[in-house]
């Protein structure tokens, strides 16, 4: 019986059954998010920031529930013991996560780590501008101060600087902020890995076997542009 239940959990049928309720949940959160935009012209920028933090948490909570309900596990590896205080600071302070981008759900793993650290609503990320058009979630990400770029440094540099200035306001108001960056800029695939290796070879860079050559401009701008505690 236990094996049958585990098979049902892993089949995805539960997620499919919960889809209508989840869509309704996302619609409600999007409506509240739209009304929160009215706080900005009223000069209530700090209140808007706190409100969108809570909306983001409520909207993404069902995704984390399904992730944990499926019996998925996250293992942390380190040269030394992972300090619980450090994990607790993620999501409760000013910080940045630099991550490889190996699949479609690795961003969800990052959310789970931040949530267990104490603050799902602190999540920010540098994302492609096209993701703003994802139904419901795109509005939430835009309203939560995700930094949306077009992969054109000339225009993106101004967008990144504006995003970093918003982080300075978060720091001023003591609102937790955690920026997730995928330095590779795209998901890892065999074709992209081959192109990356050829690029590294043409530039005399080390050949990477399990990661793409990182795009250093965005990462370097974040390290220099953010005011971080962690």
């Amino acid at each position: 019986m236990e094996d049958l239940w585990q098979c049902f959990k892993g089949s995805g049928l539960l997620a499919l059954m919960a889809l209508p309720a989840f869509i309704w949940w996302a619609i409600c959160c999007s409506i509240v998010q739209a009304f929160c935009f009215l706080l900005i012209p009223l000069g209530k920028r700090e209140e808007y920031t706190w409100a969108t933090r809570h909306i983001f948490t409520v909207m993404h909570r069902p995704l984390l529930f399904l992730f944990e309900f499926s019996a998925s596990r996250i293992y942390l590896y380190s040269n030394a013991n992972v300090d619980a205080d450090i994990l607790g600071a993620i999501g409760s302070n000013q910080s940045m996560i630099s991550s490889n981008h190996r699949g479609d759900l690795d961003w969800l793993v990052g959310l789970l780590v931040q949530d267990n650290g104490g603050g799902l609503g602190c999540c920010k990320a540098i994302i492609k501008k096209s993701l703003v058009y994802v139904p419901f979630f795109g509005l939430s990400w835009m309203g939560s101060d995700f930094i949306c770029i077009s992969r054109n440094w000339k225009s993106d540099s101004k967008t990144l600087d504006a995003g970093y200035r918003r982080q300075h306001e978060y720091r001023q108001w003591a609102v937790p902020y955690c920026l997730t960056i995928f330095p590779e800029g795209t998901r890892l695939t065999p074709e992209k890995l081959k192109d990356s290796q050829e690029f590294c070879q043409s530039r005399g860079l080390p050949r990477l076997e399990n990661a793409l050559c990182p795009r250093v401009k965005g990462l370097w701008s974040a390290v220099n542009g953010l005011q971080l505690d962690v």
Side-chain angles (χ1 to χ4, degrees):
M1 192 67 181
E2 179 66 21
D3 293 339
L4 182 61
W5 172 242
Q6 293 299 328
C7 182
F8 174 73
K9 288 174 62 176
S11 67
L13 290 177
L14 182 66
L16 187 62
M17 293 167 59
L19 185 60
F22 178 66
I23 293 176
W24 175 248
W25 185 262
I27 291 174
C28 293
C29 290
S30 297
I31 293 174
V32 176
Q33 174 68 65
F35 276 108
C36 282
F37 283 123
L38 298 176
L39 293 173
I40 298 178
L42 294 176
K44 301 293 185 179
R45 189 76 182 192
E46 182 177 357
E47 289 77 3
Y48 167 83
T49 301
W50 279 106
T52 53
R53 169 182 168 84
H54 294 300
I55 294 171
F56 184 94
T57 299
V58 171
M59 188 171 187
H60 289 76
R61 181 71 65 190
L63 296 177
L64 299 189
F65 169 75
L66 289 176
F67 193 87
E68 293 186 348
F69 185 79
S70 67
S72 300
R73 296 291 183 267
I74 297 175
Y75 297 93
L76 300 178
Y77 297 92
S78 172
N79 292 331
N81 293 328
V82 180
D83 195 327
D85 293 336
I86 294 178
L87 291 179
I90 299 176
S92 303
N93 216 319
Q94 308 290 306
S95 56
M96 181 174 69
I97 296 177
S98 177
S99 173
N100 296 115
H101 200 2
R102 301 186 62 88
D104 294 325
L105 295 180
D106 46 13
W107 61 275
L108 190 57
V109 175
L111 287 183
L112 192 59
V113 171
Q114 293 175 56
D115 184 49
N116 282 272
L120 176 59
C122 76
C123 176
K124 317 295 173 190
I126 298 178
I127 61 175
K128 295 184 296 184
K129 187 174 294 184
S130 59
L131 292 178
V132 172
Y133 301 104
V134 174
F136 312 122
F137 287 94
L139 179 65
S140 175
W141 297 336
M142 181 181 66
S144 300
D145 294 314
F146 277 48
I147 302 176
C148 306
I149 60 175
S150 58
R151 294 181 175 176
N152 182 304
W153 180 252
K154 187 174 181 179
S155 60
D156 289 342
S157 59
K158 297 179 181 179
T159 303
L160 289 168
D161 288 340
Y164 302 151
R165 287 195 296 271
R166 276 292 288 149
Q167 183 268 335
H168 300 168
E169 293 180 344
Y170 277 72
R171 181 184 178 92
Q172 177 184 347
W173 298 326
V175 181
Y177 181 106
C178 183
L179 181 67
T180 299
I181 297 179
F182 299 102
E184 295 166 293
T186 186
R187 290 185 299 275
L188 178 67
T189 65
E191 294 78 13
K192 293 175 182 177
L193 179 60
K194 181 180 178 181
D195 292 340
S196 174
Q197 291 171 342
E198 292 176 352
F199 173 81
C200 290
Q201 184 177 1
S202 67
R203 299 297 179 90
L205 299 173
R207 177 186 174 93
L208 304 177
E209 300 294 341
N210 300 297
L212 303 179
C213 182
R215 304 185 181 199
V216 297
K217 283 186 178 179
L219 178 60
W220 183 249
S221 70
V223 172
N224 286 275
L226 299 175
Q227 296 178 358
L228 298 177
D229 297 330
V230 181

